[in-house]
Amino acid sequence: AFLAKSYESLGRWFDAETMYRASYELDPSNIAQAHQLAEFYLGNVYRQPDRLEKATPLINQILRAGADGKLPKNDPSLLWARRVGAKLLASAGEYQKLLKAENLLASNSQGDTLSLEDKLEMAAILSSRPEPVSRLKAAGLLEEVNQIQPLTEQANLQLAELYFALGYWPKCNQQLQQTIARFPNSPAVRESYIRKLLTRGDQRSYATATRELGKLKELSPTSQAAFELSVRVANKTGKQKEARADLLKLLPKISDIKTLTEDQT
């Protein structure tokens, strides 16, 4: 086990897998070892195309042990397997699998309450569902977590997306402004805000989008998002000529280039 961790820390996935498997095969019924090996396959070091194929049987082994009563309901390995299993089911994007993912993760509740980590995962699952009631539940879960600990940038954007999809523009607008205040150097947050302002389609929103576009250009002047949104904002505000002049300035001098990079293309 020590060698496995050492090899993993060094990024030597083949040697780490060999040691983890050797440790697991000494006692294949050991749930802790199954958990450790599955986590390795799903981690950042093992990036082979068969990672899910190898991890899934181990996750199922832990889930079966829980279903057979061989593990207590609050066993850490069982809680982890349900969370990861639900995430894998939801990643397929199919409605029936989303339902199964919700039910699987719901079984992690202790006294009708999910942990913060499970609430975040449940919100991600429910936000993928088309019906408004699921999106309402997802927004409620993110709000509950936000009262206890600050949401990550991604979770903040997810909450704003939910408000927008539900038609709660004042909440969405406030959420995005607060997220910008927390992550002022994030191009992704500015981009999300601009897109929603353009969808709103009123002059006040266009004015705010223009201002936010200026900030986005400062943060990421040559990004594809800044390029695209410059055109979209210009079309909405009647400033196509000015936008064209600004965009032409970004173009490289073709005569000076021997090989085009991806960004230049």
Side-chain angles (χ1 to χ4, degrees), residues 2-263:
F2 175 79
L3 277 173
K5 283 290 183 186
S6 300
Y7 287 137
E8 187 176 7
S9 298
L10 292 169
R12 293 168 57 177
W13 68 265
F14 182 84
D15 295 320
E17 181 188 18
T18 301
M19 291 298 101
Y20 276 125
R21 289 215 69 90
S23 182
Y24 170 72
E25 288 167 3
L26 287 172
D27 183 8
S29 64
N30 188 312
I31 295 300
Q33 296 288 356
H35 180 180
Q36 190 175 52
L37 182 56
E39 271 196 313
F40 166 72
Y41 283 131
L42 297 176
N44 294 324
V45 174
Y46 191 84
R47 288 294 184 181
Q48 304 309 302
D50 61 351
R51 60 202 307 262
L52 291 180
E53 183 182 338
K54 288 184 174 179
T56 300
L58 298 164
I59 296 169
N60 288 336
Q61 177 184 348
I62 301 170
L63 293 174
R64 280 195 302 271
D68 294 341
K70 296 177 181 178
L71 296 174
K73 293 182 179 180
N74 61 348
D75 180 84
S77 293
L78 181 56
L79 297 175
W80 174 86
R82 287 173 179 157
R83 186 180 308 118
V84 174
K87 187 174 184 177
L88 292 176
L89 280 169
S91 65
E94 300 172 13
Y95 186 75
Q96 291 302 321
K97 288 188 176 180
L98 286 169
L99 289 176
K100 290 180 180 179
E102 180 186 357
N103 292 333
L104 180 60
L105 188 56
S107 58
N108 264 2
S109 61
Q110 306 291 322
D112 295 327
T113 302
L114 291 170
S115 68
L116 294 181
E117 192 173 2
D118 285 336
K119 283 182 179 180
L120 289 170
E121 191 58 48
M122 183 67 85
I125 292 169
L126 292 172
S127 64
S128 301
R129 300 257 294 272
E131 63 273 20
V133 65
S134 292
R135 291 172 176 172
L136 277 171
K137 290 179 182 178
L141 288 169
L142 290 172
E143 289 169 347
E144 289 176 19
V145 173
N146 198 31
Q147 290 176 355
I148 299 171
Q149 67 180 35
L151 294 175
T152 63
E153 178 183 328
Q154 183 180 358
N156 271 291
L157 285 176
Q158 186 179 42
L159 182 55
E161 290 287 349
L162 287 165
Y163 287 149
F164 192 73
L166 289 164
Y168 298 163
W169 172 245
K171 280 189 172 184
C172 176
N173 191 37
Q174 182 182 25
Q175 175 67 24
L176 283 167
Q177 289 181 3
Q178 291 174 348
T179 306
I180 286 174
R182 278 199 60 210
F183 305 97
N185 297 320
S186 169
V189 177
R190 304 271 179 182
E191 179 186 346
S192 177
Y193 193 22
I194 294 168
R195 292 189 186 281
K196 289 173 179 57
L197 288 165
L198 291 176
T199 303
R200 287 282 296 168
D202 58 85
Q203 294 303 316
R204 185 176 179 181
S205 295
Y206 292 158
T208 305
T210 301
R211 185 175 66 250
E212 293 301 330
L213 178 61
K215 297 290 186 181
L216 177 61
K217 287 180 177 179
E218 290 177 12
L219 294 170
S220 185
T222 61
S223 70
Q224 292 183 13
F227 193 95
E228 175 206 344
L229 291 172
S230 292
V231 177
R232 293 187 181 279
V233 171
N235 279 333
K236 296 291 187 182
T237 56
K239 296 181 178 179
Q240 291 90 340
K241 289 184 179 180
E242 293 91 331
R244 182 176 184 275
D246 288 340
L247 295 173
L248 285 172
K249 292 176 185 177
L250 296 176
L251 291 177
K253 293 181 179 179
I254 302 298
S255 59
D256 296 339
I257 295 175
K258 295 181 180 179
T259 304
L260 284 171
T261 66
E262 185 178 349
D263 284 343

